[in-house]
């Protein structure tokens, strides 16, 4: 039997008119691309000629092929800086390449680039792991009877501590997302909670001027309260694990204008730092300083930031550039100091010395490029970027130069643009970015090495109180008076996810692994997941 051919395909007809032929794709122009390192601006390879429609993944493969130093492929992010004459006030100063050069750069509204230009693409290596953005609230935990003022995940991310106006701190188990222990003992609001980087102790500071230590496994207090401050405690900071792994000391700042350093072994105040003439708002224990023995950074309402030697309490520098209260500080090493020996691989340490060597390796890997950098934020609407100890080798030279200038170092950059008081500033875990939140409803992103403005993140309709970064530095979350949390994508500088759910102002937020926690005036703790 003869094979029957199928009938010819019926031609599509649009209102009686045959379908027009598809236009052939336009050929992509060829462009000259120079890949340079984000860190030092050095070329990674000779300039190459590429089609402009090569995808971002294709660019990543090309850089990994050209850059033969790394055997394993490394994820990269790419951006091109806008020329100064093409920048518009308040808009991003760089174009992130998310799809291709043709779509993102040649089609950019500024029209600053043509195919004849040499495209200098800045490449910055990304974390090899990726954090998924939270999209839903997995638990709403009630128990506190007053607004929640502070929240902090433990370094491994297994436990969560919150402090509230009901004079109690609480511990929550994150495996089951249920209450674990109630830590009662303060006679006033619990204003700050701080985990030791080995997760053996939790410190809380209160409106009663007392500092208390707790055992997170049992929820029991470790001895009596540490008394000495005459007004409330504003901030706490532990000594880094790579300096003192067995019994790290604890620093507490207070409204009474002093900072006290406590020995957790003998439970006494080792020394008091009394140079400030007004409330000390923040204390940070850095891992750098002279000979790498650690330094204390304090920010005060007397408009100064002071830097102290952690061994003995000698004042090294007084930074007097701010014109109003200094309310927030951040170090580019904050994340590695907070998490100590714990990283994304989840390896457990068997001894204090092993933990010390792991923590030291993580600290040195971050501080080797630019040293320990500091950003201070103030009610004068500005921030300053400081490099007080540029690197281990140059720290003595820097301090000698500072001594010649009367103990006063000049800031690397003045970060301006906010229209109202700066409420919080935070470095990303890899130190490449810094983000600042302010009462002008905006979040601003800055280059963490140079202090240059990168982008403004707008979306909140009220003051932004707190910021937290994901561990891979790709996502930023902000907590606001408008009762929402917002997750921002640092690849596009746009809103990634909006997290409504709180019924009142959100005072605190923290980010660990792919979990978010938030708390505020509605007295509930919310845990958010993917």
């Amino acid at each position: 039997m003869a094979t029957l051919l199928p009938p010819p395909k019926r031609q599509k007809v649009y209102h009686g008119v045959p379908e027009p032929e598809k236009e052939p794709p336009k050929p992509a122009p060829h462009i000259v691309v120079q890949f340079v390192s984000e860190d030092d601006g050095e070329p990674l390879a000779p300039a190459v000629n590429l089609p402009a429609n090569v995808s971002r993944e294709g660019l990543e493969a090309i850089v990994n092929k050209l850059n033969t130093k790394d055997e394993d492929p490394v994820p990269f992010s790419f951006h091109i800086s806008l020329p100064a004459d093409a920048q518009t006030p308040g808009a991003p100063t760089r174009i992130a390449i998310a799809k291709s050069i043709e779509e993102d750069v040649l089609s950019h509204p500024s029209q600053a680039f043509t195919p004849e230009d040499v495209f200098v693409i800045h490449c910055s290596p990304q974390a090899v792991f990726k954090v998924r953005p939270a999209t839903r609230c997995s638990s709403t935990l009630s128990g506190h009877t007053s607004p929640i003022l502070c929240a902090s995940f433990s370094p491994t991310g297994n436990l969560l501590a919150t402090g509230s106006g009901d004079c109690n701190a609480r511990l929550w188990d994150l495996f089951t997302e249920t209450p674990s222990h109630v830590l009662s003992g303060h006679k006033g609001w619990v204003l700050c909670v701080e985990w030791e980087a080995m997760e053996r102790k939790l410190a809380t500071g209160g409106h009663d001027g007392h500092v208390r230590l707790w055992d997170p496994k049992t929820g029991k207090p470790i001895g009596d309260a540490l008394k000495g401050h005459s007004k409330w405690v504003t901030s706490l900071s532990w000594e880094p694990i790579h300096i003192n792994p067995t019994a790290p000391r604890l620093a507490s700042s207070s409204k009474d204008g002093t900072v006290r350093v406590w020995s957790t072994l003998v439970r006494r105040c080792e020394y008091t730092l009394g140079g400030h003439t007004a409330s000390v708002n923040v204390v940070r224990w850095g891992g750098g300083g002279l000979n790498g023995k650690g330094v204390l950074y304090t920010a005060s309402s007397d408009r100064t930031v002071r830097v102290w030697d952690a061994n003995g309490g000698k004042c090294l520098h007084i930074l007097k550039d701010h014109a109003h209260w200094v309310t927030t500080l951040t170090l580019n090493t904050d994340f590695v100091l907070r998490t100590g020996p714990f990283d994304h691989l989840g390896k457990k340490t068997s001894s204090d010395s092993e933990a010390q060597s792991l923590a030291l390796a993580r600290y040195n890997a971050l501080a080797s490029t630019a040293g320990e950098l500091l950003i201070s934020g103030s009610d004068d609407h500005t921030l300053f970027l400081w490099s007080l100890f540029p690197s281990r080798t140059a720290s003595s030279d820097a301090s000698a130069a500072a001594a010649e200038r009367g103990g006063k170092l000049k800031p690397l950059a003045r970060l301006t643009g906010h229209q109202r008081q700066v409420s919080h500033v935070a470095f990303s875990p890899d130190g490449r970015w810094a983000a600042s939140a302010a009462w002008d409803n905006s979040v601003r992103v800055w280059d963490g090495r140079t202090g240059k403005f990168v982008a403004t993140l707008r979306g909140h309709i009220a003051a932004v109180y707190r910021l937290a970064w994901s561990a891979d530095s790709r996502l930023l979350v902000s907590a606001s008076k408008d009762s929402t949390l917002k997750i921002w994508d640092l690849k596009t500088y746009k809103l990634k996810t909006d997290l409504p759910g709180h019924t009142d102002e959100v005072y605190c937020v923290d980010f660990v692994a792919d979990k978010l926690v938030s708390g505020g005036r509605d007295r509930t703790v919310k845990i958010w997941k993917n």
Side-chain angles (χ1 to χ4, degrees):
M1 186 177 162
T3 306
L4 284 174
L5 291 171
K9 199 170 180 184
R10 206 168 56 173
Q11 192 178 14
K12 271 188 184 175
V13 176
Y14 295 88
H15 305 290
V17 181
E19 180 185 13
E21 285 187 21
K22 287 182 181 173
E23 287 185 22
K26 289 181 183 173
H30 273 247
I31 53 172
V32 177
V33 171
Q34 174 71 70
F35 294 105
V36 300
S37 167
E38 168 84 1
D39 294 335
D40 49 18
E42 290 293 314
L44 295 175
V48 289
N49 196 315
L50 298 173
N53 60 357
V54 174
S55 66
R56 199 198 70 79
E57 290 73 21
L59 291 175
E60 200 170 272
I62 291 167
V63 172
N64 276 304
K65 202 78 177 164
L66 293 171
N67 194 13
T68 51
K69 287 182 238 173
D70 300 310
E71 292 177 12
D72 298 323
V74 177
F76 280 93
S77 71
F78 303 103
H79 77 264
I80 290 180
S81 296
L82 273 170
D85 53 359
Q87 292 176 11
T88 51
T93 58
R94 49 176 73 174
I95 306 169
I97 300 173
K99 294 178 182 173
S100 68
I101 297 173
E102 187 173 37
E103 284 187 63
D104 296 318
V105 182
L106 292 177
S107 307
H108 194 264
S110 67
Q111 299 291 311
F113 297 96
T114 65
E116 283 75 38
D117 294 324
V118 174
F119 291 81
V120 180
I121 299 183
H122 299 265
C123 314
S124 58
Q126 301 280 283
V128 290
F129 60 95
K130 201 163 187 178
V131 173
R132 295 177 299 176
T135 54
R136 62 188 176 87
C137 177
S138 65
S139 294
T140 300
L141 307 172
S142 53
H144 283 298
T145 56
S146 283
I148 293 154
L149 307 174
C150 49
S152 178
F153 283 114
S154 64
T156 59
N158 297 337
L159 291 167
L160 166 67
T162 55
S164 165
D166 59 10
C167 308
N168 291 334
R170 280 177 174 259
L171 287 172
W172 312 85
D173 185 341
L174 290 181
F175 291 117
T176 56
E177 297 187 1
T178 54
S180 171
H181 299 100
V182 180
L183 315 179
S184 52
H186 282 287
K187 303 285 192 298
W189 302 347
V190 180
L191 298 173
C192 42
V193 291
E194 197 73 27
W195 289 91
E196 184 218 29
M198 293 281 282
E199 213 174 90
R200 295 171 296 201
K201 294 187 183 87
L202 174 71
T204 58
H207 205 267
D208 52 8
H210 297 170
V211 176
R212 287 181 174 269
L213 300 176
W214 311 86
D215 183 344
K217 287 181 182 164
T218 62
K220 298 273 193 310
I222 303 173
D224 290 333
L226 305 175
K227 299 177 183 177
H229 288 298
S230 58
K231 289 186 179 175
W232 62 85
V233 177
T234 55
S235 165
L236 297 167
S237 189
W238 287 92
E239 188 172 14
I241 289 297
H242 70 264
I243 296 173
N244 186 350
T246 48
R249 296 171 290 171
L250 177 69
S252 61
S253 63
S254 169
K255 174 80 173 168
D256 63 13
T258 65
V259 174
R260 288 175 176 263
V261 174
W262 309 88
S263 165
T264 52
L265 275 181
V266 296
R267 307 184 48 73
R268 282 205 190 95
C269 176
E270 278 196 8
Y271 56 83
T272 305
L273 308 176
H276 286 292
T277 56
S279 164
V280 182
N281 301 315
V282 195
V283 60
R284 281 276 186 280
W285 202 313
L290 307 172
N291 307 318
K293 293 294 184 187
V295 282
L296 287 160
Y297 302 91
T298 57
S300 167
S301 293
D302 64 6
R303 310 196 300 274
T304 66
V305 176
R306 287 178 182 246
V307 186
W308 315 78
D309 182 2
N311 293 329
K314 180 190 170 194
C315 184
L316 301 175
H317 308 302
I318 305 173
L319 314 175
K320 298 180 176 177
D321 288 64
H322 281 294
H324 211 302
W325 301 344
V326 189
T327 52
T328 177
L329 281 184
T330 182
L331 300 172
N332 62 343
T333 53
D334 272 347
F335 182 77
V336 292
L337 294 179
R338 172 186 169 179
T339 50
F342 304 111
D343 59 11
H344 64 282
L345 301 173
K347 186 185 172 191
K348 290 186 176 163
T349 55
S350 55
S351 65
D352 285 350
S353 58
E354 186 188 357
Q356 183 177 19
S357 60
L358 275 172
L360 183 61
R362 291 185 72 209
Y363 178 85
N364 284 342
L366 186 66
S368 60
T369 48
E372 195 164 68
L373 299 175
L374 167 76
I375 292 183
S376 56
S378 163
D379 279 11
D380 64 8
H381 312 179
T382 67
L383 305 106
F384 281 105
L385 171 67
W386 311 86
S387 175
L388 305 175
F389 306 102
S391 65
R392 288 293 171 86
T393 52
S395 60
S396 55
D397 304 337
S399 55
E404 286 172 25
R405 289 192 291 251
K408 181 174 179 298
L409 280 167
K410 284 193 166 62
L412 282 183
R414 184 169 183 251
L415 286 52
T416 60
H418 281 298
Q419 306 299 310
R420 294 191 63 189
Q421 302 99 305
V422 177
S423 52
H424 191 218
V425 60
F427 262 108
S428 62
D430 61 8
R432 292 178 185 278
W433 308 92
S436 58
W439 288 69
D440 61 6
N441 311 354
S442 74
V443 176
R444 284 182 166 248
V445 181
W446 316 86
D447 186 304
R449 310 265 168 84
T450 62
K452 283 183 181 166
F453 167 72
V454 173
T456 305
L457 311 179
R458 296 193 187 279
H460 284 293
I461 55 170
V464 187
Y465 289 146
R466 295 286 294 183
L467 300 168
W469 286 88
S470 63
D472 63 356
S473 304
R474 290 183 176 99
L475 301 171
L476 173 70
V477 60
S478 54
S480 167
K481 185 180 180 178
D482 64 12
S483 79
T484 68
L485 297 158
K486 295 192 190 302
I487 299 179
W488 308 90
D489 187 349
L490 265 286
K491 193 185 280 181
T492 58
Y493 313 121
K494 289 197 169 72
L495 182 66
K496 182 96 171 172
T497 322
D498 203 350
L499 301 176
H502 282 285
T503 57
D504 213 330
E505 305 180 18
V506 187
Y507 292 144
C508 50
V509 64
D510 202 6
F511 207 148
V512 72
D514 57 354
K515 277 187 185 178
L516 266 175
V517 65
S518 58
R521 200 167 170 181
D522 60 3
R523 307 193 291 278
T524 59
V525 175
K526 285 188 180 285
I527 295 175
W528 311 82
K529 277 187 188 166
N530 182 277

